[in-house]
Amino acid sequence: EIYSIDDLMDEIENEHLYNILLNEDNITLKIIMYKVQGYSTKEIANILGITIDNIYYRIKKLRKKIK
């Protein structure tokens, strides 16, 4: 189970992805953690106090870095 950002990072086996996530900000990492836990985008926005659009923007930006 993933309950924290440390748990999330410990589960990543892909070195390229791991290195990218090491340089991400805490909010983006929390978005990923909550997504892995099954939360909806709306729930994550409420938990983190950010907009749904901001979540989509951060995910899009992260996807570009991974490619």
Side-chain angles (χ1 to χ4, degrees), residues 8-47:
L8 174 70
M9 296 301 287
D10 287 345
E11 291 294 318
I12 297 171
E13 295 178 4
N14 182 295
E15 187 176 341
H16 176 65
L17 177 59
Y18 183 84
N19 287 328
I20 289 170
L21 293 179
L22 275 180
N23 295 310
E24 286 301 314
D25 63 278
N26 223 21
I27 297 294
T28 301
L29 293 175
K30 285 181 180 180
I31 291 168
I32 295 166
M33 180 187 72
Y34 287 127
K35 278 291 191 187
V36 169
Q37 291 175 344
Y39 287 86
S40 71
T41 304
K42 184 177 180 180
E43 289 171 320
I44 296 169
N46 287 332
I47 292 167

